[in-house]
Amino acid sequence: MADFVITAQSQEKAGNLIVNALIKAGVKTALLIDSAGNVLANCGHEQQQIDIDAISLAALAAASLAATSQIAKLIGEDDFSLLFHKGKSGNIHFGRVGDELILITIFGDDVSLGLIRCRVAELADSLHNIFEG
Amino acid sequence: MALIDLSKKEVHCKVVFYGPGRCGKTTNLLYIHKAMDEKDRGKMLTIDTKGDRTLFFDLLPLNLGKISGFDIRIQLYTVPGQVMYEATRRLVLKGVDGLVYVADPLKVRQERNIEGLEDLRRNLEKHNLDMLKMPVVLQYNKRDLCDTPVPTLTVAELEHDLNQELKTSYYEAVATTGIGVFETLTEITKKTVRYVAEKHLLTRV
Ligand SMILES: Nc1nc2c(ncn2[C@@H]2O[C@H](COP(=O)(O)OP(=O)(O)OP(=O)(O)O)[C@@H](O)[C@H]2O)c(=O)[nH]1
Ligand SMILES: [Mg+2]
């Protein structure tokens, strides 16, 4: 697995894409992480910014997704296509970006899961190109 | 897998404490967490069972100051040492940049130490990593037990069992009181940062 080198340019590009596709659609926080648990981009809504511990979240999400895909293999699946947890007022969605990156989206009940899934899928290709292309 | 952020001038590396169950990996992180200034470390995250055994991993993020103008951020992880958690250990190794192998000096754990190192080699191979080419440091922990009547291994025996191939530095430690803990940390950090820097900054810039 290759190391990731982030430049100001790649960060800005990725940040803009995420803000336009997700934050402007009402997502509270979006984090782009790698499968080792590093944070590549952290975008949030200024008014709705929630104080999250991004480092812990990234480590847990990377580990949890790695465990989840092992579980999928145990039951004969390649991977699960929907990775989502629903809370009382907050929800979290995990989307794979290429083999090595994960886009985490945290949003409230005012945003539909369908929209998130659609936007994340659209973003995945462009983000993949920026960092791994 | 290190992350090099050229815009913020930060290098993030992952260092994993590996070793058999109960050898003192979590204790190392707890000591570092307690001893370091709050501004230089993040929150410690642990996922353990009720009985204190690590179930998934512990994580302690550290901020170790600047080297050549880059802020060095190290994430310390531990694996669950119990034999049955092999699959979990493999997941935690994903993207590792440096390793501390913690060994137990109890004579009854001699085999476990050797098996643990083999388990590490195997699991690294699954990530296409070669243990002998990576930054690795050995820590011979629980040296305080050598002054008690329980049968323990000498450093020479541990060296014979674990360090013939690795030929790396080792530190004697008592993780509960912190003896040797920062010596181990300093050495693995230096090795890891040098390894990542040689791979990138020096060859590319
Ligand atoms: N006497 C002595 N006890 C130690 C030392 N280091 C750790 N211990 C004790 O050994 C026990 C196991 O330590 P842990 O740090 O939980 O071991 P671990 O390697 O994280 O174990 P797993 O999570 O199961 O893999 C604890 O009761 C510690 O207090 C040491 O240097 N000397
Ligand atoms: Mg432990």
Side-chain angles (χ1 to χ4, degrees), chain B residues 27 31 34 144 173-181:
Chain B
T27 310
Y31 183 82
K34 195 173 68 184
D144 56 322
V174 183
T176 34
T177 58
I179 294 171
V181 169

Side-chain angles (χ1 to χ4, degrees), chain A residues 63-124:
Chain A
S64 151
L65 255 69
T68 305
S69 45
Q70 291 304 312
I71 293 173
K73 294 200 173 75
L74 288 178
I75 64 162
E77 292 285 325
D78 269 347
D79 202 349
F80 296 116
S81 55
L82 174 59
L83 302 157
F84 170 66
H85 299 303
K86 179 160 177 45
K88 273 212 193 75
S89 59
N91 309 301
I92 187 162
H93 176 270
F94 306 90
R96 294 198 185 274
V97 174
D99 289 335
E100 296 293 348
L101 300 177
I102 299 157
L103 180 59
I104 306 174
T105 316
I106 301 169
F107 56 100
D109 283 337
D110 51 333
V111 184
S112 80
L113 174 60
L115 178 76
I116 299 291
R117 292 187 74 182
C118 179
R119 292 279 160 93
V120 169
E122 284 167 11
L123 269 180

Side-chain angles (χ1 to χ4, degrees), chain B residues 2 11 16 24 39 41 48 52-53 56 66 91 94 97 100 114 119 128 147 156 166 169 172 189 197 199 202:
Chain B
V11 177
V16 176
K39 70 174 184 354
R41 58 153 172 84
D48 53 19
D52 260 12
R53 311 296 304 266
F56 207 150
K66 279 192 198 312
L91 298 181
K94 175 112 198 188
D97 300 298
V100 175
I114 300 169
D119 175 281
N128 293 318
D147 305 327
L166 280 171
S169 9
E172 295 182 56
T189 308
K199 244 190 331 178
L202 300 181

